[in-house]
Amino acid sequence: MKLTFFGGAGTVTGSKALLESDFTKILIDCGLFQGLKELRRKNWDKLPIDLDELNLVILTHAHLDHIGYLPVLVKNGYTKNIYCTKATEDLAKIILLDSAKIQEEDAKRANKYSYSNHKPAFPLYTINDAKKTINQLKSFELNTWYPINIDIQFKFLNSGHILGSAFVLLNIKGKIIVFSGDIGRKKPILLPRYKYIDKADYVVIESTYGNRLHKKRKITAQLLRYIKLTYSKGGILIIPSFSVERAQEIIYFLSLLKREHKLPQIPIYLDSPMGVNATEVYFKYTNYHTLTEEDINSMINTVHLISDVTTSKSIVNDLNPKIVIAGSGMITGGRVLHYLDKLISDKKNSILIVGYQAEGTRGRSLLSGDSELKFFGKYHPIKAEVFKINEFSGHADQSELLDWLQHFKEAPNLTIINHGEPHQSQALKVKIKTALGWKCTVAKMNNEYYLN
């Protein structure tokens, strides 16, 4: 068997791992590169995989850095199945169509205002490409082994990261290979905890927070503090948010504060078509999360769900105090840019960062204390206050990653660390070697790893 990483190695984006066994080729995840320009350019490079020989794609979960390259794969000729969990299928439909729409809109805007070096600028893929991709999705239940061919079986187990997220287990002629995808917290906010696994011959584990421990502070107290501070200035609180999981978590905490009568009397909006659709999917899969019916009803009554453009524009132009949750989470695109265009240069407003910000993203620039932010082809001075809540993280920290690994009854032959910036992956490697005594290595882009 041979494993090659074409993304998610030395970086937290663009996850793609090709597993080859005899004449079978399986791609685990097919993510979009985000963040640094040098990474985003890789989205335009030809993937060094013969798509005629690729037998199957299996997805760990529906985040863009794990599924966002699929329409390129399909556009370039991939016609076979894409396996995932049922909730991942529903979320992937929403996310891929939204991503394609943004790709088309960005290209259109670049051509209109001539701020692209490409004349004309083209989208990486189109809505039509995304629709074709959706037709190739095939979903499966958790906790059950399914055959791929006479030699290979696969199984999904809950990983606790987002709705529908799963560890991918492959049994190839008796050898077990586990792909963690992204691992959630030991005590997630809205989801059941990740499943433990007894045995594996090889493990591929993420390392997004492989070098740190999450602080334990009460989220509602921090959230309320920033809401009240912004409200006292007569400002608007903008929360750039990932549409899946993070948006629902924020709405949940806001609903708790509302139930306790602690919130100011101001409107709260989720202005994200993808976020609205993802929230509806969330409420559909009651067996995949831990929300009660009371929780769901309270969330529905706390926030105004905004999808249509006309309403969104009127909210952008209304400068009265409010809370706006808008995509995208790393401020790489989406409706949040329209709010920032109007509000970022006014010191009475606030921006609250509630998720991981990859290197090279606008969100990382805000956290780094940059004085201006470039979008829509121009620079905007940053005068709004910028705050951060780390405790929202949906990624396991170092102690939680070790907790998951420690439940294997025997050490795998090899543990491969991926999906982390270099210092994070190296820190986790050292910790695994010293704490567990396991043989492990950090994945490198385009390197081939032979699994005996």
Side-chain angles (χ1 to χ4, degrees), residues 173-240:
K173 296 181 181 178
K175 297 280 187 181
I176 305 293
I177 302 97
V178 176
F179 293 86
S180 77
D182 290 349
I183 304 179
R185 306 295 305 278
K186 191 172 183 179
K187 294 180 180 179
I189 297 168
L190 305 178
L191 300 174
R193 187 184 66 189
Y194 48 70
K195 289 282 188 179
Y196 294 115
I197 300 170
D198 292 338
K199 180 184 181 301
D201 295 282
Y202 299 94
V203 173
V204 178
I205 184 171
E206 66 117 326
S207 56
T208 308
Y209 287 119
N211 67 331
R212 61 175 283 184
L213 302 176
H214 294 311
K215 294 179 181 178
K216 295 179 181 179
R217 291 186 294 181
K218 196 170 181 181
I219 291 176
T220 49
Q222 295 180 77
L223 188 57
L224 184 59
R225 177 189 169 200
Y226 298 133
I227 291 169
K228 285 187 171 181
L229 182 61
T230 307
Y231 181 66
S232 70
K233 297 185 295 181
I236 296 168
L237 178 63
I238 311 149
I239 309 178

Side-chain angles (χ1 to χ4, degrees), residues 137 153 204 232 306 385 391 406:
L137 295 170
Q153 296 175 301
V204 178
S232 70
I306 308 300
E385 284 194 86
E391 285 70 25
Q406 284 168 342

